[in-house]
């Protein structure tokens, strides 16, 4: 299989090539904005909300359950047996669940869109998530083994196929929503055979006598928590539709996906940090390395937030002879960006503090985290959207992530020692607040860009990040302090 990737290299590869549906959506936002109306974008956003809810029940907490039990069981039962157990069980489960959802696709379309016109597209998306779930077992295996190059290969190929199919179908005049669904189906259909080929020597029908009961006990609250976590991400779309219309859903979802560009890094960090943090806890090296990881994580989250402020503001400015990067019909929600970016900063910090629950036999903390988030998010959505429209949805998301951060950080700090210096937190936070003030008050886009760039360079100096490390790879190596392997 080759050598394991270092933690720094893993995070770099996951950030550059580990584009999930959210990451792909961010890359394709300019394309979406010029082909889709706000109402059409609202429709596909609602479809994707159903897609990710379905994914919770297809994947059954795999991203949390697999690394924990693979690392625990592989020494006792062998890596081949553990991978095969997950792989073949998920094939049976995905086939069963897809058969059920196939029959009810028209009903789901009627419930969400008040007509059955989208039933075929839902069948395509449910097939996509079924195949993606099976492939995900192999991807999780490579991640647990810290073989980031294999994960990068699979996800980069899937990204290329997704983009190629979507762009080709739209340019050739196919229905916008059909093109959207077809592109999502094409990616997992490619990953599946390629992943099986790469892991062919690790798959076997003989899984031995691996105990399933501990997996189910741990997974049940994790899956329930994942369901609430997903509702935390998507419930505002349905509530917006209830109080407003598909057009407002489309504008809000567009701004949300710009902010999700920051979440691509958060996902990459969580993917690399989870197995590494678990190993550090087991080896006793967590306290020695965690402080620098936390500080640099905060600095980079703020730096990237300032970058996305620049992207969002300049993206709606017409360039003579070239038009706009983003179509102007989505620009009415641009002031949502700082609110949503702040929410994803807290999401990144939640990922950092979420290592402690992995050391336990039950996943109850994940359930409590996500239940806290969805209750606050849903409650504030119903309260604020009728008062301030799409801004209410943004503030509800922010307060929900903040509440989850407060909860899990307090839990973690009670059980795992951390050396967090207040001044290390205040410096990037003050720069971020200043950047937000400039975003709302400075009208000249060139002056605003200059001020935000000044903030980025100030953070690089304050964080002692060398200017030679402005490239993504160098920045992430600095973020992780050392490229040492943790195994």
């Amino acid at each position: 299989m080759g050598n394991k990737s270092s933690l720094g290299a893993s995070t770099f590869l996951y950030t550059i090539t580990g584009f999930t549906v959210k990451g792909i959506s961010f890359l394709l936002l300019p394309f979406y904005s010029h082909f889709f109306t706000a109402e059409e974008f609202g429709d596909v956003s609602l479809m994707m909300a159903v897609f990710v809810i379905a994914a919770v029940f297809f994947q059954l907490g795999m991203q949390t359950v697999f690394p924990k039990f693979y690392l625990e069981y592989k020494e006792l039962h062998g890596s081949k047996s553990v991978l095969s157990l997950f792989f073949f069980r998920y094939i049976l489960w995905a086939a069963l669940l897809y058969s059920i959802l196939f029959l009810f696709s028209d009903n789901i379309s009627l419930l969400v869109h008040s007509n059955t016109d989208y039933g075929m597209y839902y069948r395509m998306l449910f097939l996509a998530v079924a195949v993606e779930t099976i492939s995900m077992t192999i991807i999780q295996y490579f991640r647990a083994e810290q073989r980031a190059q294999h994960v990068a290969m699979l996800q980069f190929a899937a990204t290329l196929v997704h983009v190629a199919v979507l762009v080709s179908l739209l340019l050739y005049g196919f229905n916008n929503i059909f093109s959207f669904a077809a592109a999502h189906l094409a990616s997992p259909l490619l990953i599946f055979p390629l992943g099986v080929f790469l892991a062919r020597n690790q798959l076997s029908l003989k899984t031995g006598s691996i105990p399933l009961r501990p997996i189910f006990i741990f997974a049940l609250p994790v899956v329930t928590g994942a369901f609430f976590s997903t509702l935390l991400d998507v419930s505002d779309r349905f509530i917006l539709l209830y109080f407003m219309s598909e057009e407002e859903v489309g504008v809000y979802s567009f701004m949300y996906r710009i902010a999700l560009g920051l979440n691509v890094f958060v996902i990459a960090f969580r993917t690399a940090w989870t197995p590494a943090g678990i190993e550090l806890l087991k080896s006793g090296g967590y306290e020695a390395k965690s402080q620098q990881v936390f500080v640099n994580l905060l600095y980079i989250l703020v730096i990237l937030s300032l970058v996305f402020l620049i992207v969002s503001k300049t993206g709606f400015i017409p360039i003579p002879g070239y038009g706009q990067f983003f179509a102007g019909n989505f620009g009415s929600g641009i002031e949502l960006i700082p609110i949503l970016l702040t929410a994803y900063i807290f999401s990144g910090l939640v990922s950092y503090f979420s290592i402690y629950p992995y050391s336990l036999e039950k996943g109850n903390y994940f359930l409590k985290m996500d239940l806290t988030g969805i209750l606050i998010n849903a409650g504030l959505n119903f309260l604020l959207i009728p008062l301030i429209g799409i801004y209410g949805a943004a503030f509800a998301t922010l307060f929900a992530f903040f509440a989850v951060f407060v909860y899990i950080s307090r839990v973690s700090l009670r059980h795992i020692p951390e050396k967090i210096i207040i001044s290390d937190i205040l410096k990037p936070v003050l720069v971020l607040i200043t950047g937000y003030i400039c975003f709302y008050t400075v009208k000249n886009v060139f002056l605003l860009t200059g001020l935000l760039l000044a903030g980025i360079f100030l953070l690089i100096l304050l964080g002692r990040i060398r200017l030679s490390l402005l490239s993504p790879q160098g920045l992430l190596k600095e973020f992780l302090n050392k490229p040492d392997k943790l195994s």
Side-chain angles (χ1 to χ4, degrees):
M1 282 291 185
N3 296 326
K4 292 184 179 182
S5 304
S6 68
L7 183 56
S10 295
T11 307
F12 170 65
L13 288 171
Y14 292 148
T15 302
I16 300 302
T17 63
F19 292 116
T20 60
V21 172
K22 294 177 182 179
I24 296 171
S25 297
F26 171 75
L27 289 177
L28 292 173
L29 275 178
F31 203 75
Y32 282 131
S33 71
H34 289 283
F35 274 87
F36 287 72
T37 65
E39 184 175 352
E40 286 178 327
F41 198 76
D43 283 326
V44 299
S45 297
L46 292 166
M47 292 172 62
M48 282 308 300
V50 176
F51 175 92
V52 297
I53 291 172
V56 172
F57 296 102
F58 273 97
Q59 297 176 8
L60 297 177
M62 186 193 306
Q63 293 185 343
T64 300
V65 174
F66 187 97
K68 172 180 172 61
F69 286 95
Y70 177 81
L71 294 172
E72 288 184 6
Y73 282 177
K74 73 171 184 176
E75 299 298 331
L76 296 174
H77 306 282
S79 61
K80 179 183 291 187
S81 295
V82 181
L83 172 61
S84 299
L85 174 75
F86 278 90
F87 181 77
F88 290 110
R89 295 299 188 278
Y90 270 105
I91 287 179
L92 296 175
W93 172 244
L96 173 63
L97 189 55
Y98 174 70
S99 299
I100 296 172
L101 290 175
F102 181 91
L103 297 175
F104 287 95
S105 293
D106 288 338
N107 302 85
I108 294 172
S109 175
L110 182 63
L111 178 64
V112 176
H113 306 275
S114 300
N115 59 66
T116 59
D117 296 344
Y118 298 87
M120 178 185 71
Y121 308 131
Y122 278 111
R123 292 185 185 95
M124 296 170 66
L125 291 174
F126 291 146
L127 179 58
V129 73
V131 179
E132 182 181 89
T133 296
I134 303 168
S135 306
M136 188 63 66
T137 59
I138 296 175
I139 291 177
Q140 289 297 328
Y141 161 72
F142 287 135
R143 284 175 173 168
E145 285 289 338
Q146 300 180 41
R147 314 230 183 245
Q149 66 275 20
H150 290 82
V151 179
M153 181 191 306
L154 292 170
Q155 294 186 323
F156 184 68
T159 301
L160 289 179
V161 170
H162 181 102
V163 173
V165 171
L166 178 64
V167 172
S168 299
L169 291 177
L170 289 175
L171 291 178
Y172 277 100
F174 283 84
N175 176 277
N176 286 352
I177 297 179
F178 171 80
S179 302
F180 174 86
H184 279 84
L185 178 57
S187 297
L189 289 179
L190 170 73
I191 286 184
F192 177 70
L194 185 56
V196 170
F197 175 78
L198 290 174
R200 62 193 182 280
N201 295 326
Q202 290 294 315
L203 294 172
S204 171
L205 291 173
K206 299 179 180 179
T207 58
S209 56
I210 299 177
L212 294 176
R213 188 171 181 272
I215 298 177
F216 290 134
I217 292 174
F218 184 85
L220 182 59
V222 171
V223 174
T224 307
F227 173 68
F228 289 128
S229 177
T230 301
L231 287 182
L232 172 62
D233 276 338
V234 303
S235 62
D236 46 14
R237 314 305 195 279
F238 299 110
I239 301 173
L240 276 171
L241 180 64
Y242 177 78
F243 285 110
M244 306 182 81
S245 70
E246 287 87 349
E247 183 175 353
E248 282 80 10
V249 175
V251 172
Y252 174 78
S253 298
F254 193 86
M255 296 302 152
Y256 196 91
R257 293 193 183 191
I258 292 179
L260 280 179
L262 178 60
N263 200 42
V264 172
F265 176 80
V266 172
I267 292 171
F269 167 76
R270 182 167 60 244
T271 301
W273 174 238
T274 298
I278 292 172
E279 289 196 24
L280 285 173
L281 277 180
K282 290 181 177 179
S283 66
Y286 183 90
E287 186 175 358
K289 287 194 173 184
S290 62
Q291 178 187 4
Q292 192 62 40
V293 171
F294 175 81
V295 171
N296 284 329
L297 170 63
L298 181 59
Y299 268 84
I300 289 184
L301 288 172
V302 174
I303 288 172
L304 291 178
S305 295
L306 297 180
V307 170
F308 284 111
L309 290 180
I310 295 173
V311 170
S312 61
K313 183 67 79 170
T314 59
F316 288 98
I317 300 299
I319 301 175
Y322 294 95
Q324 296 178 201
F325 191 62
F326 299 128
N329 56 325
F330 291 95
S332 60
I334 192 171
E335 292 184 354
L336 297 173
I337 295 297
I339 304 170
L340 296 172
L341 286 174
T342 306
Y344 280 106
I345 289 176
F346 284 119
S347 178
L349 298 178
V350 166
S351 297
Y352 170 81
F353 283 110
S354 295
I355 295 299
Y356 171 70
Y358 286 96
S359 65
L360 306 175
E361 293 301 319
K362 296 182 180 181
N364 291 332
Y365 280 113
F366 295 108
L367 174 58
K368 293 176 182 177
M369 287 165 54
D370 297 323
L371 184 59
T372 298
I374 185 56
L375 290 177
I376 293 175
N377 187 48
L380 289 178
N381 268 306
F382 278 107
L383 177 65
L384 297 178
I385 288 176
L387 297 176
I388 54 178
I390 58 177
Y391 291 91
F395 279 114
T397 300
L398 169 59
F399 292 136
F401 277 118
F402 175 73
V404 174
F405 161 72
V406 170
Y407 169 74
I408 193 59
S409 62
R410 291 183 64 185
V411 169
S412 179
L413 291 172
R414 282 202 304 265
H415 297 89
I416 302 176
E418 298 272 3
K419 296 179 180 178
I420 299 176
I421 302 174
I422 298 299
S423 61
D424 289 336
I425 300 175
L426 288 179
K427 293 174 185 176
V429 168
L430 289 175
V431 173
L432 180 66
I433 292 173
T434 303
Y436 285 168
I437 293 173
C438 292
F439 183 85
Y440 285 119
T441 59
V442 177
K443 302 302 180 183
N444 186 297
V445 68
F446 298 104
L447 176 59
L448 174 63
T449 301
L451 292 172
L452 293 176
L453 286 175
I456 291 171
F457 283 106
L458 178 61
L459 287 172
I460 291 172
L461 293 175
L462 291 175
R464 299 178 182 178
I465 300 174
R466 299 187 303 276
L467 293 179
S468 61
L469 298 176
L470 287 175
S471 67
Q473 185 174 10
L475 192 62
L476 290 173
K477 283 184 177 179
E478 181 74 4
F479 150 63
L480 290 162
N481 194 23
K482 293 181 181 180
D484 298 333
K485 297 173 185 176
L486 295 174
S487 57

